[in-house]
């Protein structure tokens, strides 16, 4: 007999979970009260921002480091403490946090300015006005009082991709026009090379102060995990090798605390689904496989059609038994694939760029080899299991409609 979905939900609510006390504490959205191993960064940021409590304009700060090194967490923490302190006293500091990756709030200059105005207390219609007018509205509400507004632009690289340098250039110079208010900008990026591609004028004003967040080592990651385990898991539920293992795997990647937390949480979910009483090393192994699988599938799904067509060609060649495929070999097959799915083939040079992109995403393995006096080429291999490859093919097939 089919159980009604009400029964399923009811059973879920009533079922005592053995593993999790508070699953939320092991997700990356959770904000812990305690931030180990970031004292130096917290103190530096606090000292740079402190003058705002007396009405001074703090330097703009440029924060960079690999993903999962605590940039967003630390910045939000320091800024919320600053705002709290200000609320107890002069009420002078206003913090605005924007994640530039969010489509709704930061896809165009219009949307971003509208969002900033809204946060400062002035609604703007979602569309319809000339951008210049939205800028004026923003400017007026910004300069309506004597406050210090600190604008955090997280994942600022995607802002520049969408709007170019000009927007930031004007934005970092806004203080020259303001009469009452003062603005400081905190730009955060996971992209270590981002600053090099910026216009030098934007670069110098954005990075009046620079703060690098180094990767965590395995021991530091263990401390971070231990703290979350106390909040998130029931006591005595993990075997002792689990935390060191999650920490070591994440340290190998690039000292990414998010990955360490994901591994632990997913390991917990797997053991719960299997109705086991403890999280063990075996569950971490499964978790690693599942996370990587999900990640690759997500990236394959979101590839542009041309890149999908190229990947399809690589898989096709490999399935014909070809090993160490060279760049030149792929091009013909790729042209064929394009014909099949009504795409206009790109030039060989562009295809070569796409190969590098796929390589960087970890979907294929493209090794540069020397052909002696004939120059250089790349040898391409898929570095995936048959299971992943089959799933990839399914996604590509429906994406390319072939
Ligand atoms: N020092 C730390 N202590 C506790 N949790 C941390 C620490 N550093 C990072 N985290 C956690 O790791 C995850 C990723 O951190 P986040 O600040 O988003 O990284 P980034 O912005 O550098 O990519 C978040 O869940 C965060 O709470
Ligand atoms: Mg972040």
């Amino acid at each position: 007999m089919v159980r009604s979905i009400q029964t399923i939900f009811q059973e879920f609510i009533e079922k005592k979970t053995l593993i999790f006390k508070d699953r939320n504490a092991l997700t990356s959205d959770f904000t812990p009260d305690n931030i180990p191993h970031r004292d130096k960064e917290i103190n530096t940021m606090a000292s740079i921002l402190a003058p705002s409590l007396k009405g001074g304009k703090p330097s703009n700060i440029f924060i960079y480091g690999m993903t999962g090194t605590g940039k967003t967490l630390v910045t939000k923490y320091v800024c919320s403490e600053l705002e709290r302190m200000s609320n107890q006293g002069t009420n002078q500091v206003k913090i605005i946090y924007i994640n530039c990756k969010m489509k709704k709030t930061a896809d165009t200059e219009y949307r971003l300015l509208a969002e900033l105005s809204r946060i400062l207390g002035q609604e703007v219609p979602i569309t319809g006005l000339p951008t210049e007018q939205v800028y004026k509205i923003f400017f007026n509400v910004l300069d309506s009082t004597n406050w210090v507004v600190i604008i955090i632009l997280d994942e600022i690289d995607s802002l520049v991709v969408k709007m170019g340098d000009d927007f930031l250039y004007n934005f970092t110079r806004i203080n020259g026009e303001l009469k009452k208010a003062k603005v400081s900008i905190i730009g955060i990026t996971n992209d270590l090379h981002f600053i090099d591609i910026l216009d030098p004028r934007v670069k110098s004003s954005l990075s009046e102060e620079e703060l690098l967040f180094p990767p965590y080592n395995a021991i530091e990651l263990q401390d971070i995990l231990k703290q979350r385990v106390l909040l998130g898991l029931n006591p005595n539920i993990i075997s002792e090798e689990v935390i060191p293992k999650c920490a070591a795997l994440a340290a190998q990647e690039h000292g990414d605390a998010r990955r360490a937390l994901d591994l632990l949480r997913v390991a917990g979910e797997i053991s719960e689904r299997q109705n086991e009483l403890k999280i063990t090393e075996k569950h971490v192994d499964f978790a690693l496989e599942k996370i990587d699988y999900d990640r690759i599938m997500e990236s394959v799904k979101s590839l542009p059609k041309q890149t999908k067509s190229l990947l399809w060609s690589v898989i096709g060649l490999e399935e014909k038994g070809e090993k160490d495929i060279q760049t030149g070999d792929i091009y013909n097959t790729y042209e064929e694939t394009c014909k099949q799915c009504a795409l206009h083939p790109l030039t060989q040079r562009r295809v070569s760029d796409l190969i590098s992109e796929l390589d960087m995403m970890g979907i294929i393995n493209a090794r540069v080899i020397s052909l002696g006096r004939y120059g250089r080429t790349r040898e391409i291999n898929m570095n995936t299991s048959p299971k992943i490859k089959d799933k990839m093919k399914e996604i590509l097939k429906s994406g390319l409609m072939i």
Side-chain angles (χ1 to χ4, degrees):
M1 200 179 78
V2 180
R3 287 182 304 166
S4 73
I5 64 168
Q6 283 85 353
T7 322
I8 298 176
F9 291 154
Q10 193 57 37
E11 276 176 13
F12 183 85
I13 292 169
E14 283 167 12
K15 187 174 155 194
K16 269 230 188 85
T17 90
L18 293 171
I19 303 281
F20 292 102
K21 183 161 69 180
D22 175 9
R23 188 182 162 283
N24 194 27
L26 290 169
T27 62
S28 43
D29 296 333
F30 180 82
T31 309
D33 294 333
N34 199 347
I35 308 180
H37 303 297
R38 281 298 176 240
D39 288 350
K40 194 173 121 238
E41 291 74 12
I42 292 174
N43 292 342
T44 309
M45 205 185 295
S47 327
I48 299 171
L49 298 177
S52 59
L53 290 167
K54 289 188 177 168
K57 178 199 137 18
S59 303
N60 295 333
I61 313 178
F62 178 67
I63 297 173
Y64 62 111
M66 308 283 262
T67 49
T69 51
K71 301 180 298 297
T72 301
L73 175 67
V74 165
T75 308
K76 281 186 165 175
Y77 168 75
V78 173
C79 287
S80 71
E81 285 300 305
L82 183 72
E83 200 167 37
R84 206 159 58 90
M85 198 68 133
S86 156
N87 288 343
Q88 287 168 5
T90 53
N91 237 345
Q92 244 165 345
V93 183
K94 171 87 185 164
I95 307 286
I96 302 184
Y97 174 86
I98 302 271
N99 185 328
C100 303
K101 264 209 174 138
M102 301 297 275
K103 283 212 162 80
K104 243 165 74 189
T105 47
D107 230 21
T108 58
E109 210 170 323
Y110 188 115
R111 285 200 179 157
L112 179 59
L113 291 167
E115 176 69 6
L116 292 170
S117 309
R118 192 186 62 74
I119 296 172
L120 293 173
Q122 176 72 53
E123 290 292 335
V124 176
I126 311 173
T127 53
L129 302 178
T131 307
E132 229 152 80
Q133 195 176 338
V134 189
Y135 184 81
K136 261 191 202 133
I137 297 174
F138 164 65
F139 188 88
N140 289 338
V141 59
L142 178 63
D143 210 18
S144 59
T145 39
N146 254 333
W147 51 14
V148 181
V149 181
I150 298 178
I151 304 179
I152 306 167
L153 296 174
D154 202 349
E155 320 247 7
I156 193 172
D157 41 303
S158 62
L159 186 92
V160 174
V161 171
K162 287 186 267 194
M163 302 178 204
D165 282 337
D166 287 354
F167 178 80
L168 268 186
Y169 180 74
N170 295 330
F171 216 62
T172 48
R173 274 170 175 65
I174 201 168
N175 282 295
E177 301 166 47
L178 292 167
K179 296 210 164 56
K180 293 184 184 158
K182 296 186 178 104
V183 174
S184 286
I185 296 175
I186 302 182
I188 308 178
T189 181
N190 298 326
D191 179 348
L192 300 183
H193 303 293
F194 169 71
I195 199 79
D196 303 327
I197 60 150
L198 275 184
D199 177 321
R201 295 168 308 165
V202 182
K203 179 178 165 178
S204 66
S205 53
L206 183 61
S207 56
E208 289 170 341
E209 297 276 357
E210 281 186 21
L211 211 50
L212 166 69
F213 277 58
Y216 294 114
N217 64 33
I219 306 289
E220 292 168 337
L221 288 170
Q222 285 198 33
D223 289 340
I224 293 172
L225 286 177
K226 277 182 198 152
Q227 181 201 26
R228 296 288 188 96
V229 162
L230 289 178
L231 299 169
L233 297 181
N234 286 318
N236 306 322
I237 213 77
I238 45 176
S239 343
E240 72 189 60
E241 71 281 2
V242 167
I243 290 183
K245 179 150 184 166
C246 294
L249 287 169
Q252 262 168 31
E253 185 95 345
H254 57 250
D256 179 343
R258 184 178 293 112
R259 185 156 168 93
L261 284 166
D262 285 346
L263 278 168
L264 186 59
R265 189 189 62 257
V266 175
E269 285 165 354
I270 292 171
S271 74
E272 189 164 72
R273 223 168 298 143
Q274 296 175 344
N275 284 322
E276 298 213 19
L277 302 177
K278 256 187 179 309
I279 309 177
T280 62
E281 205 172 345
K282 168 185 84 181
H283 299 122
V284 181
D285 289 331
F286 282 135
L288 181 68
E289 205 175 295
K290 179 175 186 314
I291 291 171
D292 285 346
Y293 179 86
D294 291 352
R295 185 166 63 177
I296 290 192
M297 290 317 150
E298 268 319 300
S299 17
V300 171
K301 253 185 225 159
S302 58
L303 290 175
K305 220 168 166 188
Q306 287 285 0
T307 324
K308 282 197 175 110
S309 161
L310 176 64
L311 182 58
W312 177 264
S313 315
V314 175
I315 296 177
L317 277 175
E318 217 203 26
E319 290 198 328
K320 275 195 203 147
E322 299 207 19
K323 291 230 157 57
D324 302 332
I325 306 160
Q326 297 192 1
T327 333
D329 305 336
I330 294 180
Y331 194 73
N332 293 342
T333 316
Y334 158 78
E335 275 185 313
E336 279 302 310
T337 314
C338 285
K339 224 183 260 169
Q340 277 179 42
C341 51
L343 277 177
H344 190 71
L346 300 171
T347 61
Q348 204 142 4
R349 203 192 157 85
R350 275 293 294 141
V351 167
S352 176
D353 291 342
L354 297 184
I355 290 174
S356 309
E357 278 170 31
L358 284 172
D359 181 36
M360 258 160 30
M361 294 166 90
I363 297 176
I364 63 171
N365 209 338
R367 202 161 54 92
V368 179
I369 53 163
S370 162
L371 298 176
R373 62 197 179 96
Y374 299 107
R376 277 183 307 181
T377 183
R378 277 179 305 183
E379 264 181 13
I380 295 157
N381 285 296
M382 300 284 299
N383 46 2
T384 41
S385 67
K387 186 177 140 211
I388 292 187
K389 208 187 292 173
D390 284 346
K391 181 73 191 167
M392 258 187 206
K393 276 170 67 183
E394 208 178 285
I395 295 174
L396 293 171
K397 213 167 176 175
S398 76
L400 292 167
M401 293 189 284
I402 44 181

